[in-house]
Amino acid sequence: MKIDQILAGFIPGGRGQDGLRLAVLLARQTGARLTVGHVHVPAWPTPGPGRIDAEWRTYVAEQAAHTLEQARNAMADVRDVPVEYVSAAHRGSGRGLVQLAGRIGADVVVVGSAPGGGRGRIRIGSTADQLLHTSPVPVALAPRGYGEERPPGIERLTVAYRRDPASDEAVRQAFALAARTGASLRLITIVLSGGRPAKVEEEMLGRLRERVAADLEEISRRHGDVQVEVNVLEGRNVATALSRIDCEDSILICASSETGPLRRVFLGDTSLKIIRSAPCPVMMLPRNPPKKSGSAGKHEKP
């Protein structure tokens, strides 16, 4: 995974701080440049009467400048990461961030949780929803309160694995990011209990553990020497399953649904539940086109 340029979407308040903190950690560990971006409402498309249009434009510009000044103040203690501050106009904040990411060549977009969610959890608001259905680059979401916790770094990458081409690509990218950041790597598979008899359930879990371990061993041989941990998480729902692992100082990486468009992040039902239940930041990867035959991704399909 190449992360040379990070875009952090900023708005005043706690969620802006949460996104900034995650973006700084990613930039610090990857050596990436960081751009803090604010998307503001556009000026009226048609001139207004008298001086109203000019006054509105001035007001919007002043508010955008004030917001970026708040971002600078929030980043006053960050001296080891190169940071730029930009603003852009768009009617949709998420779509505006997508356009801004394309303009600056961002490799990942980082935002905080929407208001109203529980502490330590991610709530998807309109900005994140637009990003998670349109972004051509990974989208990282910081849980509520992440900026206050100030974790020292991302020590572990956790990949939600479901044994399909999209997840294989997510593991490949996670290996590359782990090698670059020095983080360890963990592969998890979530198994939801369906009320089957205990013996049948245990037999299914046993086969799944063996299959996941074999898959990871093959991937490990292809992608280098990185410390790897494998966990099969069982529960009646995604939240219960995820509660069985320690996610402190970790970021959870998920692949997009295979039913979504190519080169876009696209949420499936399970991915949405993982985002809402994860007690740590989550990074959603876009769905990439299949590799050409003979490449490392030859088993992928659209």
Side-chain angles (χ1 to χ4, degrees):
M1 182 186 300
K2 179 178 75 73
I3 300 183
D4 295 326
Q5 175 73 59
I6 297 170
L7 172 63
F10 180 81
I11 60 172
R15 56 177 167 165
Q17 299 268 8
D18 295 336
L20 284 183
R21 182 55 49 183
L22 177 57
V24 167
L25 291 183
L26 285 172
R28 185 172 287 144
Q29 290 187 229
T30 60
R33 301 180 304 277
L34 174 59
T35 297
V36 177
H38 171 63
V39 178
H40 59 80
V41 295
W44 290 319
T46 56
R51 296 181 55 190
I52 294 179
D53 183 59
E55 291 174 353
W56 173 250
R57 290 177 182 273
T58 299
Y59 172 78
V60 168
E62 289 175 349
Q63 289 298 109
H66 179 63
T67 297
L68 290 183
E69 186 60 30
Q70 292 183 64
R72 288 188 179 90
N73 292 336
M75 297 281 285
D77 63 331
V78 178
R79 304 184 185 281
D80 57 339
V81 175
V83 186
E84 291 185 306
Y85 300 85
V86 298
S87 63
H90 202 285
R91 293 185 179 277
S93 54
R95 292 188 293 273
L97 286 173
V98 170
Q99 288 190 1
L100 186 54
R103 194 174 87 198
I104 68 172
D107 300 303
V108 62
V109 180
V110 183
V111 294
S113 173
R119 186 175 181 83
R121 293 294 185 271
I122 297 169
R123 185 173 186 271
I124 298 176
S126 59
T127 299
D129 185 67
Q130 291 172 15
L131 282 169
L132 291 170
H133 286 88
T134 60
S135 177
V137 298
V139 176
L141 306 167
R144 181 185 171 197
Y146 195 74
E148 299 173 18
E149 296 175 359
R150 294 182 176 271
I154 298 170
E155 303 295 333
R156 178 164 48 191
L157 307 179
T158 300
V159 183
Y161 186 73
R162 56 175 181 255
R163 202 189 186 205
D164 61 20
S167 287
D168 288 345
E169 175 63 14
V171 172
R172 186 191 69 79
Q173 294 197 46
F175 264 98
L177 186 57
R180 181 169 180 177
T181 61
S184 62
L185 184 62
R186 174 170 59 189
L187 181 66
I188 64 171
T189 294
I190 295 174
V191 177
L192 301 183
S193 304
R196 293 177 289 271
K199 183 177 180 180
V200 175
E201 187 81 13
E202 185 55 37
E203 288 177 353
M204 292 178 62
L205 283 172
R207 290 195 297 269
L208 183 56
R209 291 187 189 103
E210 292 176 358
R211 188 176 69 185
V212 170
D215 290 342
L216 184 57
E217 183 178 349
E218 178 188 352
I219 294 172
S220 299
R221 287 196 300 267
R222 283 191 283 154
H223 297 295
D225 184 18
V226 176
Q227 180 183 348
V228 179
E229 176 187 347
V230 179
N231 293 109
V232 178
L233 308 180
E234 180 188 355
R236 291 195 171 273
N237 53 53
V238 172
T240 301
L242 284 176
S243 69
R244 302 184 186 280
I245 59 169
D246 176 18
C247 286
E248 186 177 357
D249 299 334
S250 181
I251 186 168
L252 181 57
I253 299 174
C254 293
S256 288
S257 169
E258 287 206 295
T259 61
L262 290 175
R263 300 191 185 280
R264 292 290 184 275
V265 173
F266 193 84
L267 287 182
D269 182 59
T270 301
S271 297
L272 180 60
K273 291 176 181 177
I274 288 175
I275 289 175
R276 290 173 172 170
S277 304
C280 64
V282 176
M283 181 185 292
M284 288 294 306
L285 306 183
R287 179 172 171 246
N288 292 320
K291 306 285 186 181
K292 293 182 180 180
S293 178
S295 67
K298 64 182 178 182
H299 297 297
E300 294 181 338
K301 58 184 178 181

